[in-house]
Amino acid sequence: MTRLLKPYFVNSLGKMAEKREDNGPKLSRIEILEILRHPGRIQADDVVTYFLKGVKYSTDLVEEITGEKDNLENRMLKMGLIGGEGLYLWDEKNYEPIVFVGQMKPKGTSLEDLAKVNYGYVSPEGLVFANQLYNKAEKENKKLLLLINTFGGAANNYAALKGQSWLISENIRKLLSLRTQIVSLVLGEGGSGGALQGQIGDKNLMLECADYSVIAPQHAATILKYADDDPDRIAKALELLKPMAHDMLNLGIVDKIVSEFPGGSHLEKDTGYRITMKYINDALNKAFEDMGKGVHHVGKLRDQRIRKALRYGETKGLLDRFGFSKKPETNFYIPAPISDKVPRMQITNPPGELVPIAEHFSGEIKKRWGIKKEENGIKCQGKIFYVPVNDELDYREEDCGWVLTEKTYKDNHKSCPNCGWGEGLSYKEWIRILTDNDSFEQFDGLKFEDFKQTVYHTASYLVSLEKARQKIGLNSGAVTGRAKIDGREAVFYLLSFDFMGGTLGIVEGEEFNLAAQRAKKYKVPLVGVFSSGGVRMAEGTLGLKQMEKNVAVTYDLKRNGKPFYSVLVSPCTAGILGSNASQGDVIIAEKYGSGNVFSFAGPRVVSKGGGKLDEYAVASGILKEIKLPNGRKAIDETVLRRDMKDTLSRYVQGNFFRKH
């Protein structure tokens, strides 16, 4: 149904609903959450069949992706979304084909209802399906309609082994660079990266009772250790996350809020549905009318998308700097530049086989490794994983079992020279490993208070930031600078896991942008060293949008022919692995490393939600064998720490650049 079909009673009831004042939410965040999660809520297929004529699902793409020929519409739904094209009627005689991608959540509460749409999560196959539909819209010169309603990306072994992080990152890049016109509408739940990879448009709309969040509030409450018997635990988490439509409008993440039947369309199934659909229909009509007939100005629209992404997290302007706006009162610590006078660790070539030898270990080493007096070496606790067989995701593993002397352990940068197992390293240690002695010159760093105030500038968060600064001696989790690798200069961007888990916020996002601009200015490669727990929960959806910003930065580098090399340091998860870390011209990962965790959802977060990620599913050696739809492997090389500089130097010296 299009704008031509507007029954009188819908208009009459709509006018009654429109009398509400539009000066803020009438419901609490917890009440809105209950509404948007109701199984009777309007879904993507409802909107598509109401708004478009002649709807046809792209089952040919489903067949291509799954390799199956029967029950293709059901197989599409099991991906967690629908996709195809339909006709948009301008008037009774003129129409225009539009490609649509709509995420689906369960329409009931039974196990059958849940399984039918992959429990409300977008599967890896769904991410591939969405990407192909994005390409279809661009190739066939058709507008694109995006409908968002998902818990997020799936958090399980299967999704990890299908390269979910890389697929999300690639879909973000595709939407940012797409040469067509895009309208997006958040219908219900905008869950994390699964929503982000399907929401980036030129006109971005959001239903009044919808959310867009970096993490589900129940998971946030668990991570924040709110008591299970606290009746306000979810409300407290929502107050921290601030994910509702009016929050998104204030942040500039969406352009317009679309009204709903008061309390949700499910309250009065007949009337509520018609009124809400009228609002949706009118809002979509307005968005497409503003764009005009046909697809045009696509280069300008693409550039506007890139510029908007780069503005998520803006530093203060002149008025702010001269004190004409209110500034948070807090002290901050400015670290001294790193002038590394510490000699590089000596790297020895270990013998082919290490055997136990009687050698004294310091008390610290004995305590760390639990070595008893009668023991005479550090027994490696690492495991060696063998690659999957065919597509069955089979794997084998064996214990490493090497026995290391203290010298061997230190000479190999606190790791095993056989399998790579070891302890986490600080950003300073990675600088020593990867760069020439005394060549690193640190750039001045930004701090959170340098940015325009948002709803996330809370007193408690500023206190937490200050504690982290004093503890680590950094303004943020990002460290940037110039250095040489075997005499060749590069700009470095490092994330310090010691600073709030290396999480991604507006400072870290802007520091990556500035590092890229400096690499372009100096005409040298950009090297990213990534160890991160994902997006910083305290910065909510603005933190989530740094994923989009990161990918926009890498796309800008690609357009300008500047190389970007990504070094994955365990643990590297979530919003970093699903954005810039997986966009490198070359992606190098440490072999095994400190825990060997490379996944979109970290095992800790997954376990808090009641799920499980096995060790093999997040191991770099296994992920290295994953072949992505674009023909690349997820990881180009897995490297022991002792060999990391030589491997990186090979690409830097050759100025390696991947055109596609």
Side-chain angles (χ1 to χ4, degrees):
M1 185 178 292
T2 69
R3 61 189 180 131
L4 299 174
L5 304 175
K6 298 180 180 178
Y8 173 78
F9 63 89
V10 174
N11 284 335
S12 299
L13 291 170
K15 288 178 181 177
M16 293 172 60
E18 285 171 357
K19 291 181 179 179
R20 296 171 302 166
E21 292 182 357
D22 193 20
N23 57 357
K26 298 300 181 183
L27 300 167
S28 68
R29 289 189 173 93
I30 191 69
E31 288 171 328
I32 293 174
L33 183 68
E34 292 174 0
I35 292 170
L36 69 90
R37 286 187 171 176
H38 194 281
R41 188 165 181 79
I42 287 173
Q43 295 271 10
D45 56 351
D46 299 318
V47 175
V48 165
T49 55
Y50 190 98
F51 183 67
L52 299 176
K53 287 288 190 180
V55 172
K56 181 182 178 182
Y57 292 126
S58 294
T59 53
D60 57 327
L61 296 180
V62 177
E63 180 179 347
E64 180 182 321
I65 293 167
T66 64
E68 303 291 343
K69 295 184 178 181
D70 59 336
N71 301 318
L72 292 176
E73 287 194 14
N74 288 336
R75 294 183 188 280
M76 175 184 64
L77 285 170
K78 285 185 178 180
M79 296 178 181
L81 44 69
I82 58 173
E85 63 179 287
L87 301 177
Y88 173 70
L89 302 185
W90 287 95
D91 52 44
E92 293 179 352
K93 295 182 179 180
N94 296 300
Y95 59 87
E96 181 178 3
I98 289 178
V99 174
F100 63 86
V101 181
Q103 298 166 347
M104 294 289 292
K105 283 177 64 178
K107 290 191 173 185
T109 57
S110 69
L111 286 177
E112 183 180 357
D113 292 326
L114 298 175
K116 186 176 181 180
V117 291
N118 197 39
Y119 298 85
Y121 293 90
V122 181
S123 72
E125 290 81 6
L127 295 171
V128 175
F129 184 45
N131 188 276
Q132 292 188 359
L133 287 163
Y134 302 161
N135 284 322
K136 175 183 173 70
E138 182 176 57
K139 184 178 180 181
E140 298 179 6
N141 204 35
K142 296 173 181 175
K143 290 183 173 72
L144 179 63
L145 172 62
L146 304 173
L147 302 170
I148 299 92
N149 190 17
T150 181
F151 289 121
N156 52 44
N157 291 338
Y158 180 80
L161 290 168
K162 285 292 185 178
Q164 177 175 240
S165 299
W166 285 259
L167 297 175
I168 287 174
S169 176
E170 181 59 21
N171 281 10
I172 294 171
R173 187 201 66 80
K174 189 63 186 177
L175 285 181
L176 284 169
S177 63
L178 206 64
R179 294 178 63 85
T180 191
Q181 298 167 324
I182 311 171
V183 174
S184 75
L185 170 62
V186 182
L187 291 172
E189 192 146 14
S192 190
L196 177 61
Q197 62 80 36
Q199 182 270 335
I200 302 164
D202 306 306
K203 301 284 185 179
N204 300 296
L205 316 176
M206 190 169 181
L207 276 183
E208 186 177 15
C209 293
D211 76 356
Y212 192 3
S213 183
V214 63
I215 188 173
Q218 67 271 22
H219 295 162
T222 301
I223 291 172
L224 293 168
K225 298 181 180 179
Y226 294 155
D228 290 341
D229 58 357
D230 181 355
D232 298 322
R233 63 194 302 270
I234 303 300
K236 291 177 182 176
L238 287 170
E239 181 59 31
L240 170 73
L241 297 169
K242 297 178 175 63
M244 300 310 176
H246 63 281
D247 299 312
M248 298 303 100
L249 186 65
N250 290 336
L251 289 168
I253 290 173
V254 298
D255 307 309
K256 179 180 175 59
I257 295 176
V258 181
S259 298
E260 296 188 45
F261 182 79
S265 60
H266 59 278
L267 289 182
E268 294 186 26
K269 190 172 182 181
D270 216 25
T271 304
Y273 174 87
R274 288 192 176 96
I275 288 177
T276 302
M277 288 302 278
K278 173 199 179 293
Y279 286 135
I280 293 173
N281 190 72
D282 288 351
L284 291 177
N285 273 319
K286 181 66 166 62
F288 282 108
E289 284 174 356
D290 288 347
M291 291 181 172
K293 293 182 181 180
V295 176
H296 43 78
H297 305 304
V298 291
K300 181 179 178 181
L301 289 172
R302 176 201 59 197
D303 293 344
Q304 286 176 351
R305 264 176 254 137
I306 297 293
R307 286 196 296 270
K308 182 175 181 179
L310 295 176
R311 288 198 300 269
Y312 287 127
E314 292 186 273
T315 51
K316 293 175 180 176
L318 288 175
L319 290 178
D320 303 286
R321 295 183 185 281
F322 282 105
F324 291 103
S325 65
K326 186 178 179 181
K327 298 182 179 180
E329 294 183 2
T330 182
N331 296 321
F332 57 89
Y333 178 81
I334 301 178
I338 296 175
S339 180
D340 189 358
K341 301 296 184 182
V342 181
R344 179 179 298 282
M345 299 177 186
Q346 296 298 312
I347 300 178
T348 61
N349 294 318
E353 181 180 2
L354 293 180
V355 295
I357 58 175
E359 184 173 320
H360 175 71
F361 288 91
S362 67
E364 180 184 352
I365 292 290
K366 287 179 181 179
K367 183 178 180 181
R368 180 186 301 151
W369 299 98
I371 297 174
K372 298 178 182 178
K373 289 183 179 180
E374 62 272 16
E375 294 177 324
N376 53 15
I378 301 173
K379 185 176 180 180
C380 178
Q381 303 298 309
K383 294 179 181 179
I384 299 174
F385 295 100
Y386 292 84
V387 299
V389 178
N390 298 324
D391 196 36
E392 300 299 319
L393 305 181
D394 293 334
Y395 73 98
R396 290 188 297 160
E397 68 176 71
E398 63 181 39
D399 293 333
C400 173
W402 276 38
V403 178
L404 316 174
T405 67
E406 181 178 3
K407 183 177 185 302
T408 301
Y409 175 70
K410 286 184 175 180
D411 286 347
N412 287 277
H413 309 303
K414 301 179 183 177
S415 69
C416 171
N418 180 46
C419 74
W421 171 80
E423 61 185 283
L425 301 180
S426 70
Y427 76 93
K428 289 185 179 181
E429 290 173 303
W430 277 110
I431 289 172
R432 293 181 188 126
I433 289 173
L434 295 174
T435 66
D436 296 348
N437 282 334
D438 203 24
S439 70
F440 188 83
E441 300 176 9
Q442 185 175 347
F443 299 135
D444 291 337
L446 296 168
K447 59 185 184 297
F448 190 69
E449 292 83 352
D450 289 329
F451 290 75
K452 292 180 180 180
Q453 279 192 271
T454 70
V455 291
Y456 303 114
H457 281 69
T458 63
S460 60
Y461 180 45
L462 293 175
V463 169
S464 298
L465 283 172
E466 179 59 20
K467 287 181 180 178
R469 291 169 185 157
Q470 296 292 347
K471 179 181 178 181
I472 308 302
L474 294 172
N475 276 338
S476 73
V479 178
T480 60
R482 297 172 71 173
K484 291 182 178 180
I485 307 171
D486 290 335
R488 177 71 189 275
E489 190 170 284
V491 168
F492 272 77
Y493 172 89
L494 303 97
L495 283 176
S496 171
F497 196 81
D498 293 328
F499 190 99
M500 292 185 161
T503 46
L504 175 63
I506 58 175
V507 180
E508 290 74 18
E510 182 60 17
E511 288 284 16
F512 183 67
N513 180 33
L514 292 176
Q517 300 310 313
R518 284 164 172 149
K520 287 165 56 179
K521 177 182 177 181
Y522 302 142
K523 299 180 181 180
V524 298
L526 174 63
V527 177
V529 183
F530 300 103
S531 180
S532 173
V535 176
R536 192 170 303 155
M537 192 166 59
E539 294 190 30
T541 314
L542 195 57
L544 176 68
K545 279 290 184 176
Q546 300 311 300
M547 293 175 62
E548 182 180 332
K549 182 173 185 172
N550 283 346
V551 176
V553 170
T554 63
Y555 177 69
D556 181 63
L557 286 172
K558 181 73 71 176
R559 284 201 298 178
N560 285 276
K562 304 302 179 185
F564 164 52
Y565 307 131
S566 179
V567 179
L568 309 185
V569 176
S570 181
C572 183
T573 65
I576 286 295
L577 191 59
S579 62
N580 46 0
S582 53
Q583 285 289 323
D585 293 299
V586 173
I587 300 174
I588 305 167
E590 62 170 327
K591 186 176 180 179
Y592 196 81
S594 55
N596 199 42
V597 177
F598 301 99
S599 65
F600 185 67
R604 175 172 170 262
V605 174
V606 174
S607 65
K608 293 290 186 182
K612 181 185 179 183
L613 271 178
D614 290 319
E615 195 173 6
Y616 77 93
V618 296
S620 57
I622 297 294
L623 296 175
K624 180 178 179 291
E625 302 306 317
I626 294 174
K627 189 172 182 179
L628 302 171
N630 62 9
R632 281 192 65 177
K633 287 191 173 182
I635 295 173
D636 295 301
E637 295 194 48
T638 57
V639 184
L640 293 169
R641 289 175 180 173
R642 68 183 184 192
D643 301 321
M644 189 68 83
K645 182 183 179 184
D646 289 341
T647 302
L648 180 60
S649 177
R650 177 159 36 92
Y651 292 107
V652 172
Q653 298 298 325
N655 202 40
F656 179 82
F657 177 75
R658 195 184 300 267
K659 292 183 179 179
H660 302 291

